[in-house]
Amino acid sequence: MSTPSPPANLLDAKRIEALIDARFPQIHSGGRNLVIEEAGQRFARVRLKADPRNTRPGGTISGVAMFALADFSVYVAIIGSLGEAGFDAVTSSLNINFLARPEARDLTAGVKLLRLGRRLAVGEVEIYSEGAGDMVAHAIASYALPMG
Amino acid sequence: MSTPSPPANLLDAKRIEALIDARFPQIHSGGRNLVIEEAGQRFARVRLKADPRNTRPGGTISGVAMFALADFSVYVAIIGSLGEAGFDAVTSSLNINFLARPEARDLTAGVKLLRLGRRLAVGEVEIYSEGAGDMVAHAIASYALPMG
Amino acid sequence: MSTPSPPANLLDAKRIEALIDARFPQIHSGGRNLVIEEAGQRFARVRLKADPRNTRPGGTISGVAMFALADFSVYVAIIGSLGEAGFDAVTSSLNINFLARPEARDLTAGVKLLRLGRRLAVGEVEIYSEGAGDMVAHAIASYALPMG
Amino acid sequence: MSTPSPPANLLDAKRIEALIDARFPQIHSGGRNLVIEEAGQRFARVRLKADPRNTRPGGTISGVAMFALADFSVYVAIIGSLGEAGFDAVTSSLNINFLARPEARDLTAGVKLLRLGRRLAVGEVEIYSEGAGDMVAHAIASYALPMG
């Protein structure tokens, strides 16, 4: 991506998406609704496309879909930082705060890794609803990293 | 259920399930996999049936499915405690720790409400895998309660 | 402070500090080490001065002191937003991640309120060590607000 | 303690207390108020004695003191499980929910380790106020473990 000195194994958004598709095809069972827009050293941006599976009566997006978006986005930022070595990272905890009820529109998750140690990564996720100003959810996720 | 002096509006597991089915039919889109086994004053027990949607390659249950189970189970315990007044409760935060990788078998969530105030309920969730001894996930969820 | 249209009851950092000193003198028992640097609509910045009570052998700041700093800073941002009506806010939950071991130097907490509803405020806290680039701790705190 | 087959390095409550006193004398600066009542394989029970430093006007115990009690108690349970190898464990995150305002009396924290892996321990803490029935606070703490 655009970091000053990318590691040799750094993958861009398209390449990460292709690799995840190959390894975890079930993520898209029922139709692709998670789209990696950007990924790189310690960051990622992922879009959740609104569709009948994640919208709810009254016109909102389900909390489960926001959890899935947050968890997946941190995973993408880890792979963007570590390359293929990041694929074996596993979620150890996730704390999510629901701040405002989103409309039934696409959501965008912006991830920043606050910590990327040898054993543990901690990512912060801000989720916004397309076309709206206020954050709709905020999450902190910890991932256990595979040891080299 | 079996509490000493149940409030008049207390609903049992079957009745809660029927009411939730009527209000939120989309929960079961793709097939019913959340089954309320017990519910009452400040507690609930809910089963997540393993199926192709929530199992993952290598034979495990997805973290997203465990989040959905935890969130739903606390909601059921709130309805078990408050009756229909609990239907408008909304999740304000959820913190989940993944403790061990479950096998691709049914999961059972046991909920205890640690706090049931006028404005906020806090529920603790212990998730076990069928036939295994150790807890596989633990969650704490806060719900904002509708004001009477 | 510097917001475009401050509410009539908005208090500045010095005034908030004086009011907190008057109401909670025990915060400074043993010596004043929490200093409000800025406060206003949905934000605050508070300094924790390193002193023998909060430093630890090997030259670091205790986790308890970082918790206290995070909790206090969100409280200050609530008062900066609501004025004296905020004094009765009480912490309902706090989630803190320790990211890096700080040196035994002053810490600065920057708070942004992610949500300021009628009943609940949610604040995000970033803690930095003086003179160092990386965040040393991150917290999310929820406060129950007094009802008018 | 009373586990069926204690590891050779298992320390009892008194021995853990003596070792912690020797390594971290500053914990008791201002007077000893944390007392280890029991510790063993994956559990601990610690008392926080009410004193002027941790009581607050109106007659309650400070949230900071409850955080400190929770954090310390999980640390004790790790040492009770791993022996002296546990001394280098460090808190990576702590999530605390304040459930009810305690009276200005002693608090007791009961810890159960939900996970004790090679790299990470997760402890659950229930805090009760002496002589009262309801839980006053609940915490989940993660500790990074030293690698052998």
Side-chain angles (χ1 to χ4, degrees):
Chain A
M1 303 298 293
S2 58
T3 47
S5 56
N9 62 353
L10 195 64
L11 307 170
D12 69 11
K14 282 293 150 233
R15 181 83 183 120
I16 293 172
E17 195 154 74
L19 288 166
I20 290 177
D21 286 1
R23 288 175 75 120
F24 307 110
Q26 75 284 356
I27 285 178
H28 303 298
S29 69
R32 177 183 305 271
N33 61 14
L34 288 166
V35 180
I36 303 175
E37 296 194 333
E38 265 196 289
Q41 205 53 40
R42 290 180 168 243
F43 77 94
R45 197 176 67 244
V46 178
R47 172 178 297 262
L48 173 73
K49 289 160 76 174
D51 71 19
R53 283 172 300 157
N54 54 40
T55 51
R56 290 288 171 267
T60 190
I61 302 284
S62 77
V64 171
M66 287 189 264
F67 172 90
L69 172 61
D71 187 34
F72 180 74
S73 302
V74 175
Y75 185 63
V76 169
I78 291 170
I79 295 169
S81 304
L82 300 181
E84 298 200 27
F87 274 110
D88 293 323
V90 293
T91 314
S92 56
S93 68
L94 195 150
N95 184 56
I96 188 164
N97 277 263
F98 299 101
L99 304 167
R101 192 174 172 281
E103 301 288 308
R105 286 202 289 264
D106 288 8
L107 297 178
T108 304
V111 174
K112 188 168 61 175
L113 294 188
L114 303 179
R115 174 179 174 171
L116 183 62
R118 281 177 310 124
R119 302 192 282 170
L120 193 69
V122 177
E124 179 190 7
V125 190
E126 298 184 343
I127 299 182
Y128 287 88
S129 178
E130 184 158 272
D134 285 338
M135 204 185 298
V136 298
H138 180 279
I140 295 284
S142 293
Y143 268 77
L145 301 179
M147 285 186 286
Chain B
M1 302 300 295
S2 58
T3 47
S5 56
N9 63 351
L10 195 63
L11 307 169
D12 71 9
K14 282 293 152 232
R15 180 84 183 117
I16 293 172
E17 195 154 73
L19 287 166
I20 290 177
D21 286 2
R23 288 175 75 120
F24 306 109
Q26 76 285 354
I27 285 179
H28 303 298
S29 69
R32 178 182 305 271
N33 62 14
L34 289 166
V35 180
I36 302 174
E37 297 193 334
E38 264 196 291
Q41 204 53 39
R42 290 179 168 244
F43 77 94
R45 197 175 67 242
V46 178
R47 172 178 297 263
L48 174 72
K49 290 161 75 173
D51 70 20
R53 284 173 299 159
N54 55 39
T55 51
R56 291 287 171 268
T60 189
I61 302 284
S62 78
V64 171
M66 287 189 264
F67 171 90
L69 172 61
D71 187 34
F72 180 74
S73 303
V74 174
Y75 185 62
V76 169
I78 291 171
I79 296 169
S81 304
L82 299 181
E84 297 200 30
F87 274 110
D88 293 322
V90 293
T91 314
S92 57
S93 69
L94 195 149
N95 185 54
I96 187 163
N97 276 263
F98 299 102
L99 304 167
R101 191 176 172 280
E103 300 289 308
R105 287 201 289 264
D106 289 8
L107 297 178
T108 304
V111 174
K112 188 169 61 173
L113 294 188
L114 302 180
R115 173 179 174 173
L116 184 61
R118 280 178 311 124
R119 300 192 283 170
L120 194 70
V122 178
E124 181 190 7
V125 190
E126 298 184 344
I127 299 181
Y128 287 88
S129 178
E130 184 159 89
D134 286 337
M135 204 185 297
V136 298
H138 180 279
I140 295 284
S142 294
Y143 268 77
L145 301 178
M147 286 186 286
Chain C
M1 303 300 293
S2 59
T3 46
S5 55
N9 62 351
L10 193 64
L11 307 170
D12 70 10
K14 281 295 150 230
R15 181 82 183 120
I16 293 172
E17 195 154 73
L19 287 167
I20 290 177
D21 286 2
R23 288 175 75 121
F24 306 110
Q26 75 284 353
I27 284 178
H28 303 298
S29 69
R32 176 183 305 273
N33 62 14
L34 288 167
V35 179
I36 302 174
E37 296 193 332
E38 265 197 289
Q41 205 52 42
R42 288 180 169 243
F43 77 94
R45 197 176 67 244
V46 178
R47 173 179 296 262
L48 174 72
K49 289 160 77 174
D51 71 19
R53 284 173 299 159
N54 55 40
T55 52
R56 290 287 172 269
T60 191
I61 302 284
S62 76
V64 171
M66 287 189 264
F67 172 90
L69 172 61
D71 187 33
F72 180 74
S73 302
V74 175
Y75 185 62
V76 169
I78 291 170
I79 296 170
S81 304
L82 300 180
E84 298 200 29
F87 274 110
D88 293 323
V90 294
T91 315
S92 57
S93 69
L94 196 149
N95 184 53
I96 188 163
N97 277 263
F98 299 102
L99 304 167
R101 191 176 172 281
E103 301 288 308
R105 286 201 289 265
D106 288 8
L107 296 178
T108 304
V111 174
K112 189 169 60 175
L113 295 189
L114 302 179
R115 174 179 174 172
L116 183 62
R118 281 178 311 124
R119 302 192 282 170
L120 193 70
V122 178
E124 180 190 7
V125 190
E126 298 184 344
I127 298 181
Y128 287 88
S129 178
E130 184 158 88
D134 286 338
M135 204 185 297
V136 298
H138 180 279
I140 295 285
S142 294
Y143 268 77
L145 301 179
M147 284 186 286
Chain D
M1 302 302 296
S2 58
T3 47
S5 57
N9 62 353
L10 195 64
L11 308 169
D12 70 10
K14 282 292 154 235
R15 181 82 183 120
I16 292 172
E17 195 154 73
L19 287 166
I20 290 177
D21 286 2
R23 288 175 75 119
F24 307 110
Q26 75 283 355
I27 285 178
H28 303 297
S29 69
R32 176 183 305 272
N33 62 14
L34 289 167
V35 180
I36 302 173
E37 296 193 333
E38 263 196 292
Q41 205 53 39
R42 289 178 168 244
F43 77 94
R45 197 175 68 242
V46 178
R47 172 179 296 263
L48 173 72
K49 290 160 75 172
D51 71 20
R53 284 173 299 159
N54 55 40
T55 52
R56 290 289 171 268
T60 190
I61 302 285
S62 77
V64 171
M66 287 189 264
F67 172 90
L69 172 60
D71 187 34
F72 180 74
S73 302
V74 174
Y75 186 61
V76 168
I78 291 170
I79 295 169
S81 304
L82 299 181
E84 298 201 27
F87 274 111
D88 294 322
V90 293
T91 315
S92 57
S93 69
L94 195 149
N95 184 55
I96 187 163
N97 276 264
F98 298 102
L99 304 167
R101 192 174 171 282
E103 300 288 308
R105 286 201 289 264
D106 288 8
L107 296 178
T108 304
V111 174
K112 187 169 61 174
L113 293 188
L114 303 180
R115 173 178 173 173
L116 184 61
R118 281 177 311 125
R119 302 191 284 169
L120 194 70
V122 178
E124 180 190 7
V125 190
E126 298 185 343
I127 298 182
Y128 287 88
S129 178
E130 185 159 88
D134 286 337
M135 205 185 297
V136 298
H138 179 279
I140 295 284
S142 294
Y143 268 76
L145 300 179
M147 285 185 286

